[in-house]
Amino acid sequence: MGLYSEGNRKWWLLVAVSCVLGLVLLDETVVGIALPTIQAELDLSLNQSHWVVNSYLLVFACFVAVGGKLGDQFGMLPVFLTGLAVFGLCSVAGGFAPSGEVLITARALQGIGAAIIFPLFVAMTAMTFPQEERGFALGIGGAIGTIFLAIGPLVGGLLTDLLSWRWIFWINPPIVILIAVVTFVSWRDVDRPPPPPIDWTGLALIASGMFCTVFSLMQSEDWGWNSPAVSGLMVAGLALLVVFAIYELRTANPLIEVDLFKIPVFTASNLTIFVAQYSKMPIFIFAALYAQTELSLSPLGAGMLVMLAALPQPFVAPYCGKLTDQHPPGLLATGGLFGIAVAMALLSLAAPFGNIWLFAPGLLVAGIVTPFVFVPTQAAIMASLPEHKHGQGGGISMSSQMIGGTVGLAVCSTLFAFHKSYVLVFASTAMLLFVVAALCLFLFRRSSPVQTV
């Protein structure tokens, strides 16, 4: 058998689409390390520098729910390649950005490309592999993705120190081109029933509601909490999200089936994913800033330190998957959430001392326990829904994940802007995690077999 054949085609496809997952996860960690350097070189305010990260997350969160539906409407391969092209071209533009405004715009457009390709990873894998191989294939894909996540801080530090922060964007296009070629050669479409129309009204409501809410949080530093613009945008955003929920309950083909949140385990799983992704912002953004500003580490040194929060994950995830098959996934996920809360508490206790040896254990604990949140919750979501709603359940969980990161950065940035305290950022996140973990433990215990809503 040659290097490539029809017999091993599906494995080539799996590696290619898994690298897409990897690129998205890499972007979570690689930019945070370079942020202080970007801020200094482009003369950005603290608020503007956070928008370099948040513009990507915000757009990603607003549009990820529709990414999979675009594939159903117009074909998986054309939509996938279009999303890759947008992601790659905007990476090039970000690397050449002459100002903060251009970089933030490029990052926002890059978020559109990521929102298109991210949900298609699961869909294309599920369509390529038979049922008996699907779980193993998704596990391999997740392992590849977490490898990218793990090396993100190191790559960001190396490129920033040895070359330029611009290379953290320029490394994407060659990988994108390789993914596109392998996917084009390896993909085989399958017959599917006609999909329902896309809920464009719902998409407009959730996108505008999220934008107004998060934008008001981010701009509170510059405009002040007493500003009518901040309070007006906040009220408008929350009102739009309420209208979105009401509209989705009444429309025939909703973008997000809000009724699913009546299932306790489904609600608990998405809430768990939301706060777990929220906690990544203090770890990969503010811990990286702390390492450079308070520990006086170089970008490379900061990357190596923050890498402790990512490096264990590819090794722990397979073991976590086995435990998920043997034990209630909801209890494992709650345990993981308590573990991240402990990690954040350790960071808050260590931060005042400015000692790397006291700070590092909290990051390592976070890296060990994080897979116990994300792996079991996906299993819990699938177990809580009938098979014909698995795709929708996966899409909602991705939205919860992206929105969690967006809100996490917005809230932590606001706290830091007002108090200039890393301790407050870490401690407030720990408190949130402890409260939500207790709530989710109650909800998971109310879980029941597959629902029929």
Side-chain angles (χ1 to χ4, degrees), residues 331-341 369-370 372-373:
L331 295 182
L332 286 174
T334 305
L337 209 55
F338 275 114
I340 300 176
V369 300
T370 294
F372 285 91
V373 173

Side-chain angles (χ1 to χ4, degrees), residues 86-266:
V86 172
F87 188 89
L89 290 172
C90 292
S91 296
V92 174
F96 281 108
S99 66
E101 291 77 11
V102 174
L103 178 57
I104 291 170
T105 301
R107 291 280 290 159
L109 294 174
Q110 190 184 22
I112 293 177
I116 293 172
I117 58 180
F118 189 50
L120 297 186
F121 154 71
V122 176
M124 295 175 79
T125 301
M127 291 168 64
T128 300
F129 285 83
Q131 179 69 39
E132 61 272 15
E133 295 180 348
R134 196 170 295 161
F136 177 70
L138 289 171
I140 294 295
I144 293 173
T146 54
I147 290 172
F148 278 74
L149 175 71
I151 66 174
L154 181 61
V155 170
L158 277 172
L159 293 176
T160 303
D161 259 3
L162 302 180
L163 296 172
S164 165
W165 63 265
R166 298 179 184 276
W167 280 96
I168 68 174
F169 300 110
W170 288 340
I171 61 172
N172 288 334
I175 302 174
V176 163
I177 292 172
L178 185 59
I179 292 171
V181 171
V182 174
T183 304
F184 181 82
V185 172
S186 305
W187 174 249
R188 302 289 185 272
D189 211 344
V190 297
D191 293 329
R192 287 165 292 153
I198 296 175
D199 176 19
W200 295 109
T201 301
L203 177 62
L205 287 170
I206 192 173
S208 55
M210 279 298 302
F211 177 82
C212 291
T213 303
V214 176
F215 188 79
S216 64
L217 285 171
M218 292 296 292
Q219 290 303 116
S220 61
E221 176 190 2
D222 287 348
W223 297 348
W225 281 103
N226 295 326
S227 167
V230 170
S231 55
L233 282 170
M234 177 67 74
V235 171
L238 295 176
L240 284 167
L241 292 176
V242 170
V243 173
F244 167 77
I246 295 172
Y247 176 81
E248 294 296 280
L249 287 170
R250 297 180 178 180
T251 190
N253 297 298
L255 181 71
I256 294 177
E257 196 169 331
V258 181
D259 271 344
L260 295 179
F261 287 95
K262 294 179 180 178
I263 304 171
V265 67
F266 183 82

Side-chain angles (χ1 to χ4, degrees), residues 66-77:
V66 79
K69 293 193 175 184
L70 288 175
D72 289 335
Q73 288 283 339
F74 305 109
M76 291 289 175
L77 185 61

